[in-house]
Amino acid sequence: MASVTEGTGSASLGIARVRGERESAQGGAVPGMKLGRAVLGLLLLAPLVVRAVEPISLGLALAGVLTGYGYIYPRLFCLFTECCSQKPSLSREALQKDLDRKLFGQHLAKKIILNAVSGFINNPKPKKPLTLSLHGWTGTGKNFVSKIIAENIYEGGLKSDYVHLFVATLHFPHASNITLYKDQLQLWIRGNVSACARSIFIFDEMDKMHAGLIDAIKPFLDYYDLVDGVSYQKAIFIFLSNAGAERITDVALDFWRSGKQREEIKLKDIEHALSVSVFNNKNSGFWHSSLIDRNLIDYFVPFLPLEYKHLKMCIRVEMQSRGYEIDEDIVSRVAEEMTFFPKEERVFSDKGCKTVFTKLDYYYDD
């Protein structure tokens, strides 16, 4: 791989961001596109500080930001725009609060995410990037957790210039272009990590990604201090997939049929079987992948299928977010409209909480 000295991903990559089709200046240490906001902030601040600062000094400070794009006064610049180093640490308590308040029925995922993410972010010298692979049915909370992680590290969350979201069917649609996609992906990741070591990369729909494509980033996930002069040890990679959901359901259903609580399920009951299932699944995106073979994925995170009681929790939270008073009659009616499986027992929601929000609209149609 050739070295890349630029601080941002190239516009020629052809990889469109899902949110907003952002320009190619993604992930720069001090993005030029944000200069206007910084200058505007300083100009608004000027009347407040003019009495305490000499006019010439204030003018020099403004000129410094204008001419130096924030490099001369980085701390001042970061008061008005998001910077890579703006949140060097993460609050474990805040992350736990978000997980407890927003994620339901996922005791395994909560524990893994809390310990893995907080431990990694607060480790000044990690040996390798943090790599998480989230597995489970649609609507169980995988995308929601990636959003929570991003928001607890960067103020902009998924909209941050340092958080990069890839959707397999959107960004890598054609199997015939897999060689091109590999080159583009390497360039994009290398360029953005060069600009911000704490970059986050989220890969959605891994079960729809062409086999072999994800192996292109294997060097970035390994135990290397530098790859072509760039360190990836502080980056975070998150994979989201439906692959392995059947195996997770089998374990959850066995516990239910045995009269055990789902909270009794331990990670050891699922993780190994899940990794093997994903590795041998031709539709997983990780089929015979070196990322699994070389043990480069730190955690396979199982998301359990949701039960009736969890749907009601989702509905209540959505009501509160819309400013409605919680009406338990509506909560029950919406939850009962959902479909469940297996056909005989009707234990788990087949769509999780994914569609409860649209169903709620029916009862509050103005």
Side-chain angles (χ1 to χ4, degrees):
M1 293 181 292
S3 296
V4 174
T5 57
E6 290 85 350
T8 59
S10 169
S12 65
L13 295 182
I15 300 178
R17 289 292 300 276
V18 172
R19 285 170 172 75
E21 297 291 331
R22 293 182 180 153
E23 299 179 21
S24 62
Q26 291 289 352
V30 186
M33 70 176 71
K34 292 186 175 179
L35 178 62
R37 277 191 291 166
V39 174
L40 177 60
L42 286 172
L43 291 174
L44 292 174
L45 182 65
L48 302 178
V49 300
V50 68
R51 294 182 181 178
V53 183
E54 296 179 19
I56 294 178
S57 299
L58 181 59
L60 288 174
L62 288 168
V65 176
L66 281 167
T67 59
Y69 282 79
Y71 288 106
I72 297 177
Y73 298 97
R75 292 184 180 179
L76 187 59
F77 187 90
C78 292
L79 290 175
F80 305 101
T81 188
E82 184 180 54
C83 293
C84 178
S85 59
Q86 192 165 319
K87 291 185 70 175
S89 62
L90 172 143
S91 168
R92 180 185 174 90
E93 292 73 22
L95 177 58
Q96 182 166 14
K97 182 178 179 180
D98 274 351
L99 291 170
D100 289 340
R101 187 164 53 92
K102 301 175 181 179
L103 186 66
F104 307 113
Q106 305 297 352
H107 68 285
L108 292 175
K110 282 183 181 180
K111 183 176 181 180
I112 297 169
I113 296 300
L114 178 62
N115 291 335
V117 175
S118 61
F120 178 78
I121 290 295
N122 293 316
N123 180 358
K125 295 182 178 181
K127 300 295 184 183
K128 68 178 291 295
L130 176 62
T131 309
L132 305 170
S133 192
L134 281 48
H135 297 265
W137 293 120
T138 297
T140 53
K142 302 185 301 295
N143 290 85
F144 209 52
V145 163
S146 64
K147 179 175 181 287
I148 290 173
I149 292 173
E151 290 174 345
N152 275 267
I153 296 176
Y154 288 113
E155 184 177 346
L158 292 177
K159 296 181 181 179
S160 168
D161 287 323
Y162 312 116
V163 178
H164 310 274
L165 174 62
F166 302 92
V167 179
T169 53
L170 175 63
H171 297 116
F172 316 110
H174 306 297
S176 59
N177 291 337
I178 189 170
T179 301
L180 174 63
Y181 295 151
K182 286 182 177 181
D183 292 340
Q184 291 178 335
L185 193 54
Q186 287 181 339
L187 286 170
W188 183 265
I189 292 174
R190 186 186 303 122
N192 282 286
V193 173
S194 297
C196 178
R198 191 70 80 185
S199 292
I200 301 175
F201 301 92
I202 303 170
F203 295 83
D204 198 3
E205 297 184 347
M206 276 299 299
D207 48 302
K208 297 179 177 64
M209 185 171 287
H210 305 298
L213 173 56
I214 202 62
D215 282 5
I217 70 172
K218 181 260 177 190
F220 307 145
L221 306 187
D222 216 327
Y223 291 84
Y224 298 128
D225 291 336
L226 297 172
V227 177
D228 285 348
V230 179
S231 173
Y232 298 85
Q233 294 171 324
K234 292 186 177 181
I236 296 178
F237 293 83
I238 304 173
F239 305 107
L240 313 179
S241 178
N242 289 352
E246 297 90 347
R247 181 60 189 141
I248 296 170
T249 297
D250 289 343
V251 173
L253 197 56
D254 286 344
F255 269 70
W256 183 85
R257 286 170 174 167
S258 300
K260 299 179 181 178
Q261 297 295 318
R262 64 192 281 131
E263 288 75 21
E264 296 180 57
I265 300 174
K266 307 296 184 185
L267 183 60
K268 65 181 181 180
D269 297 321
I270 299 180
E271 188 175 36
H272 177 69
L274 176 58
S275 65
V276 172
S277 172
V278 171
F279 183 77
N280 291 320
N281 185 341
K282 290 186 177 181
N283 297 317
S284 74
F286 285 118
W287 183 62
H288 291 182
S289 172
S290 62
L291 273 61
I292 297 179
D293 193 41
R294 292 291 301 274
N295 298 310
L296 297 180
I297 296 180
D298 299 305
Y299 296 95
F300 287 89
V301 186
F303 281 71
L304 304 175
L306 300 182
E307 300 175 14
Y308 178 80
K309 62 183 179 182
H310 304 125
L311 300 189
K312 296 179 77 172
M313 294 176 183
C314 293
I315 297 166
R316 292 188 189 103
V317 169
E318 179 64 14
M319 282 182 168
Q320 290 177 325
S321 70
R322 298 185 186 189
Y324 303 150
E325 290 188 12
I326 295 177
D327 185 325
E328 289 298 335
D329 179 59
I330 293 179
V331 170
S332 297
R333 288 162 68 185
V334 171
E336 288 166 3
E337 289 180 11
M338 305 299 291
T339 54
F340 295 82
F341 72 98
K343 187 175 181 180
E344 297 77 19
E345 291 105 329
R346 299 185 76 249
V347 182
F348 305 123
S349 168
D350 61 359
K351 295 181 181 178
C353 285
K354 194 175 185 69
T355 61
V356 297
F357 313 119
T358 55
K359 288 186 178 296
L360 190 61
D361 292 337
Y362 174 80
Y363 296 93
Y364 292 95
D365 185 8
D366 295 330

